[in-house]
Amino acid sequence: MPRSLIPPEFLVARDEGRCLKCKACVRQCGFGVHTDDQGRGISIDERRCVNCQRCVVMCPVGALKVTANPSVGRENAYWPASRLREIWRQAENGGSILTGMGCDRNYPVYFDHLLLNASQVTNPSIDPLREPMEIRTFLGRKPEKVSIAGPPGAERLADPLPPVVQLEIPVMFAAMSFGSISKNVVLALAQAAKRLGIMFNTGEGGMSSVLAPYREHMIVQVASGRFGVDNAYLEAGRIIEIKIGQGAKPGIGGHLPGEKVNEEIARTRGIPAGADAISPAPHHDIYSIEDLSQLIYTLKEATDYRKPIAVKIAAVHNVAAIASGIVRAGADIVVLDGLRGGTGAAPKLIRDHIGLPVELATAVVDRRLREEGIREQVSLVASGGIRSSADLLKLICLGADAVYLGTAALLALGCHLCQKCYTGKCSWGIATQDPSLTRRVDPQWGATRLVNMLTAWGHEIKEFMGAMGINALESFRGNRLQLRAVGLPQNELDQLGVKQAGEAM
Amino acid sequence: MKVVEAKGLPYRELNREVRRLLTAGEERLLLRGINGQRYIGAGLTGAARLEIEGTAGNNLGAMMDGLTVYVDGNVQDGAGNTMSGGEIIVRGSAGDITGYAMRGGKIFIQGNAGWRVGIHMKSREQSPAVLVIGGKAGDFLGEYMAGGTIVVLGLNTPLHQEREAANPLAGNYLASGMHGGAIYIRGRIPAWQIGGQVRSALTTPDKNAELKAWIAQFATGLNLDCSAFQRETFTCLTPEGNRPYARLYDHSA
Ligand code: SF4
Ligand code: SF4
């Protein structure tokens, strides 16, 4: 193979004075940076380093340091190092560059321009430790009206209520398939969802049998590849989610590289082991809103109208009109996945250059559905890059009922955001199927970390609400008066439906 | 056999009634006067037999696992969409996306099938997915196919003799992105009609036990005589590899 012209992205330094030669780093690195040179010490191949920090954290004496290589040469503001590197890579092997996790580019982050309100004097704030705060939420279709039947004294609802699903906190774990992440990680998410009274999502890879005890907290996904979709799968989910698109790769299909398709995953998906698991770009039975409606009703018929049907789309420029169509097609829950949404594998340029920030998408969809008088019929779930309880509350003020967490959940399990999920070599044992790596995440240990994180978020949400003098999450939904913006031009304020900071109620 | 008079019945009521009768233990139902009702048999399981008189609407037997559905008539789009098991036997023709992403069970169509048929078919071990079309099929047949078997017989279509002429039993973009399973089409197929990365070989039912068995089952299911096909030439399409996109992407860290 001709010599690569690409300088290493990271520098790895070992303090030989401290190093015990214990070889922990040799075993810990999923990418083969450290090798035992049989008696001649431990050598380092910096070209392989992805800066996942696993060796740094695991070294018993803190002898390792990984830093970004400060320069690849004469990069400049117009030609950043990342772009130079990508061109060199493409010149060397002719492939579209893959990446993992969400868009990391320097686009405006609306969350960071929005500030929440609080009460002072005129309406008192509430002490969440003293008074009950309602952060429970229900997802599903809400009937426009209810009719009462039966004789006086024995009245009952004339029609059954549509199915809804209860969330103890307005958070769910986003779709991450067994295949893109390990079974242990899926189990950690499932156990945490059960303990927290929320939902997790199987993703599009079908359902591993180990998830059976968690079905009450499970959303099953139907994507264009229809992997693992059978009667038992549909029955097992509390919610069925049709995946049209994903924020990290709007408009293109899913693609689980053959490296990650082992025997068990192949069986769950119904494809040969080692084959690429390909989800076509569109569902080939959905070329229109009317077709979408038919898949929604096929799923409702197949499960006897017992489950809410969600439709997940990537937030794109025409998102408001599309979401309106989805509601009219019969969906009970609409999921908007924004620009920053993560992925196990996506072409880098697609990830970084297509889509809409979830803050804007949520605001414009909520406004459009209200204008059309159909907002109350459905639940709106926002997804894609939610980093904190503050981001979450801002989205609820912009119109969401609940949010999905993907990246934040993996971070809680040890992910260090190296973006190499597509390689199947994740040193943190998350985005891999290699048994020597997957055992690094014990499901119970992981579940506890997720429960800890979301318990903290739950407290924070209640504190925010108390500060604003509001004791029910319901009163927040679409309540843009609780938001003010700093540093945004008028047209962006208009799209968000938020006033400039300093303007009074 | 229990008869359901379906004329003018909205699909939701019809399907609720079918579900009720099957749950009550009926083993054979005749649905009479069907005229475009959708989702018949969708998601149902069990061993019952549904007979349908008329034209079944979209997504007949979608996501079904079990059941034998016999249609004395045509079916619209999406018959057997994502089905896992059971049989759909159609005396007439079928519309687009027949057998989309089916992963098990059998579909036998005596007449023609539309476009996008058998896209992303798969196969599960216990019940391989099989789709036999007596007539011909439109464009995109077997696109992204990941498993299972498609057979196109062309019962009433004479075949050309010239080498480069299109095989009229299938349209364009045949088997593009195929990465599993097998497609058998009667006659020869010029290379230009087939998607890339697909291997093409000639065979006959006499020499190919799998093909012979599926034709025999098709003939039995529809009560036809297909013995004349035993020595006919079929083109067998199989994927060259199971990673059609491997070279499109740079997987290095
Ligand atoms: S883990 Fe630390 S102490 Fe052990 S060999 Fe590596 S650098 Fe040395
Ligand atoms: S999941 Fe693993 S591979 Fe992906 S970004 Fe996190 S640490 Fe890296």
Side-chain angles (χ1 to χ4, degrees), chain B residues 6 18 21 24 63 71 78 87 98 127 144 151 186 188 203 206:
Chain B
V18 168
L21 290 168
M63 295 168 194
V71 185
E87 284 179 38
T98 302
S127 145
Y144 294 116
V151 181
R186 189 165 68 85
R188 291 167 191 273
T203 186
D206 257 357

Side-chain angles (χ1 to χ4, degrees), chain A residues 89 93 96 224-226 230-231 259 269-270 275-276 278 284-285 287 290 294 298 301-302 305 422, chain B residues 11-12 15 19 38-39 43 58-59 81-82 84 97 100 103 116 120 122 242-243 248-252:
Chain A
R89 265 173 76 172
N93 60 30
S96 157
S224 64
R226 304 285 157 88
D230 62 13
N231 198 272
E259 286 90 358
R269 297 196 177 215
D276 287 343
I278 296 164
H284 282 290
D285 53 355
Y287 286 2
E290 163 61 10
Q294 292 191 35
T298 300
E301 284 281 338
Y305 297 85
Y422 61 96
Chain B
Y11 74 80
R12 201 164 164 180
N15 295 336
R19 194 181 274 272
R38 294 173 176 173
Y39 322 120
N58 291 351
N59 283 354
N81 187 346
T82 321
S84 295
I97 51 169
Y100 177 55
R103 58 202 293 267
R116 294 181 262 146
H120 218 313
K122 300 174 209 37
N242 55 18
R243 305 205 50 193
L248 282 184
Y249 294 106
D250 173 2
H251 293 258
S252 61

